[in-house]
Amino acid sequence: MKMISFEEAKSLGVETAYHLMDNGEKRFRLINNDGSSYIRTEGSENGSWQNSHYHQTLKELYVVQQGWIAYAELDEQNQFSLRILEKDDSVMVPPLRSHNIYMSSLAVTHVIKFGGNREIKPDWFASPQLDLLTKHISEIDLLTSKG
């Protein structure tokens, strides 16, 4: 086995990026120039909502490794739904589906983005309508709905 250097990976279209988000989450990304990526997200000490969004061509697979998340979406008929995903649960998000995630305290998720069109960069579009429906929902309310 031979290690691939960061420079060689970059020349092959693969980069890494690490971010501390405004809500305290840590995101560790492996990004390909074809638009696909893998993201490990580690929740902050306090749970919080991400920003509602959709993708024009990308699909996303969310997998919960630790803790729990709330998954909210607006379907094709603009109907709002919310569900709780716990350890080992997953959800596939198709293109054009507005969605948002609430990460509970110290939750860990894996997100795989794939199937996109490399001409659309970045393939991330805000969904203020869904933010209005989600951002005010507290963790206490989510836990109550979790049962």
Side-chain angles (χ1 to χ4, degrees):
M1 175 173 60
K2 176 186 173 248
M3 295 291 289
I4 297 173
S5 70
F6 289 111
E7 294 77 20
E8 186 178 0
K10 188 171 184 172
S11 75
L12 296 169
V14 180
E15 296 186 58
T16 58
Y18 312 117
H19 297 99
L20 178 60
M21 307 305 287
D22 291 340
N23 64 6
E25 292 175 1
K26 296 177 193 80
R27 296 197 188 165
F28 304 92
R29 303 172 195 258
L30 180 64
I31 307 160
N32 191 283
N33 64 7
D34 67 2
S36 65
S37 64
Y38 160 81
I39 307 164
R40 175 189 171 97
T41 303
E42 298 178 355
S44 65
E45 296 275 333
N46 300 306
S48 65
W49 284 100
Q50 296 179 352
N51 293 315
S52 299
H53 66 283
Y54 66 92
H55 305 281
Q56 284 189 351
T57 61
L58 283 171
K59 299 173 193 80
E60 286 185 295
L61 173 64
Y62 286 85
V63 179
V64 181
Q65 176 180 318
Q66 176 179 303
W68 60 271
I69 67 171
Y71 170 76
E73 71 173 26
L74 290 173
D75 68 14
E76 302 84 18
Q77 290 77 36
N78 231 17
Q79 295 297 308
F80 175 75
S81 65
L82 177 70
R83 63 182 163 147
I84 303 298
L85 301 174
E86 301 195 50
K87 182 181 177 190
D88 298 331
D89 288 342
S90 63
V91 63
M92 178 73 77
V93 184
L96 303 174
R97 176 79 43 93
S98 291
H99 59 284
N100 199 353
I101 300 293
Y102 180 92
M103 296 275 294
S104 68
S105 173
L106 305 177
V108 175
T109 62
H110 302 277
V111 180
I112 301 168
K113 297 182 182 196
F114 63 99
N117 176 340
R118 69 173 55 190
E119 305 303 315
I120 301 175
K121 285 189 179 178
D123 187 354
W124 190 99
F125 301 90
S127 179
Q129 178 185 8
L130 186 54
D131 273 342
L132 288 173
L133 298 171
T134 57
K135 295 270 184 148
H136 70 279
I137 302 173
S138 70
E139 184 163 313
I140 292 171
D141 292 336
L142 292 170
L143 288 170
T144 302
S145 72
K146 183 178 168 197

